[in-house]
């Protein structure tokens, strides 16, 4: 049984009204710096385009990816200026094929996506292929609380999803490091968590983890050039 994400778009904790827009931008720019410095953005798990719409209103060029064709169609109607692609984020080779189509990104971001990943380390490895050397990967997630222990479809699926019900950002950060990425920040979404909408939802407490590709090692000094500085 699939979940109709469009039914969540106007619920507390999910919707992005004017107050939420201000809060999300404050949290993102506190961690990443001015969003205007990252004009080309990829949203992974874009769903019906709710967060893509926010990113577009920030003046960014947005590409969204989701595995559900119907959600992609809704997203394209919601954000005509953005480009949306139907693709499974965990398909082998996903990162390389999308990067070839678009030329790379300044920021790769996801919201409420990583708890659905079957193999986070493999997915993060593929996502790393989408990143330019200066690009950063920002994962926004909630500390989901499991409401039952077996009767619902989500509860049954979450048994096999490593990030389904984690209560800290540590597991996501660990998976990013195992995927060969360097974690540069992990912490709470302070402004978003202070919103009345967020506080109304039991168990909603958002965090953000940011990673980048490791810096390339410095080139070895040229031995011939260095010899000129040696004492005779």
């Amino acid at each position: 049984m699939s979940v109709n994400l469009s039914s969540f778009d106007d619920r507390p904790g999910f919707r992005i009204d004017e107050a939420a827009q201000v809060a999300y931008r404050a949290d993102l720019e506190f961690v990443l710096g001015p969003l205007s410095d990252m004009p080309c953005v990829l949203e992974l798990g874009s769903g019906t385009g709710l967060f893509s719409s926010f990113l577009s209103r920030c003046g960014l060029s947005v590409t969204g990816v989701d595995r559900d064709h119907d959600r992609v169609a809704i997203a394209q109607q919601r954000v005509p200026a953005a480009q949306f692609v139907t693709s499974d984020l965990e398909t082998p080779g996903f990162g390389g094929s999308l990067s070839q189509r678009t030329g790379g990104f300044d920021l790769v971001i996801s919201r409420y996506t990583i708890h659905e990943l079957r193999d986070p380390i493999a997915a993060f490895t593929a996502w790393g292929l989408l990143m330019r050397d200066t690009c950063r990967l920002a994962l926004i997630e909630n500390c989901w609380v499991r409401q039952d222990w077996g009767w619902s479809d989500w509860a049954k699926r979450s048994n096999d999803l490593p990030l389904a019900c984690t209560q800290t950002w540590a597991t996501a950060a660990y998976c990013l490091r195992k995927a060969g990425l360097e974690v540069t920040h992990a912490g709470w979404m302070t402004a978003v968590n202070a919103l009345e909408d967020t506080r109304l939802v039991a168990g909603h407490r958002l965090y953000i983890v940011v990673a980048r590709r490791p810096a390339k090692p410095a080139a070895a000094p040229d031995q011939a050039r260095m010899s000129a500085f040696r004492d005779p």
Side-chain angles (χ1 to χ4, degrees):
M1 180 176 64
S2 61
V3 178
N4 179 14
L5 288 186
S6 63
S7 67
F8 285 82
D9 286 356
D10 198 42
R11 294 188 184 184
F14 292 86
R15 63 187 171 208
I16 304 181
D17 56 17
E18 291 185 10
Q21 290 179 49
V22 173
Y24 269 102
R25 184 155 195 165
D27 281 335
L28 289 174
E29 293 195 329
F30 177 77
V31 175
L32 300 170
L35 291 179
S36 58
D37 291 345
M38 295 159 278
C40 188
V41 178
L42 172 68
E43 185 191 359
L44 299 175
S46 51
T48 58
L50 194 62
F51 198 64
S52 295
S53 179
F54 157 71
L55 294 170
S56 182
R57 288 194 296 271
C58 290
L60 308 179
S61 175
V62 180
T63 300
V65 182
D66 198 89
R67 62 188 171 195
D68 187 281
H69 179 76
D70 292 337
R71 295 173 195 163
V72 166
I74 294 171
Q76 194 66 75
Q77 291 182 342
R78 172 175 273 156
V79 197
Q83 175 188 4
F84 292 94
V85 179
T86 303
S87 184
D88 189 335
L89 304 179
E90 295 191 85
T91 299
F94 157 78
S97 61
L98 186 61
S99 184
Q100 290 173 5
R101 291 181 58 178
T102 59
F105 300 94
D106 301 302
L107 174 65
V108 178
I109 194 166
S110 74
R111 174 182 182 251
Y112 299 164
T113 297
I114 64 173
H115 67 273
E116 289 272 9
L117 297 176
R118 298 179 295 272
D119 188 341
I121 296 174
F124 296 160
T125 300
W127 296 2
L129 299 175
L130 298 163
M131 300 167 65
R132 299 169 176 165
D133 289 342
T134 57
C135 177
R136 279 173 288 180
L137 171 65
L139 308 177
I140 300 171
E141 193 50 90
N142 180 50
C143 294
W144 300 104
V145 175
R146 185 165 179 168
Q147 300 292 341
D148 66 83
W149 293 96
W151 62 267
S152 71
D153 177 67
W154 164 246
K156 293 173 182 177
R157 290 192 298 117
S158 64
N159 288 329
D160 300 317
L161 301 175
L163 299 178
C165 298
T166 58
Q167 293 299 293
T168 73
W169 52 74
T171 309
Y174 170 82
C175 292
L176 286 166
R177 294 187 184 102
K178 294 297 287 184
L181 299 173
E182 177 185 352
V183 175
T184 60
H185 175 86
W188 299 115
M189 298 280 287
T190 306
V192 174
N193 287 334
L195 292 170
E196 182 179 4
D197 252 15
T198 310
R199 292 186 287 106
L200 282 173
V201 184
H204 258 61
R205 187 164 175 79
L206 277 64
Y207 62 83
I208 182 171
V209 184
V210 180
R212 65 184 180 189
R213 296 174 67 174
K216 295 179 180 178
D222 183 88
Q223 296 300 319
R225 180 170 57 83
M226 290 298 292
S227 64
F229 294 94
R230 295 177 184 163
D231 293 332

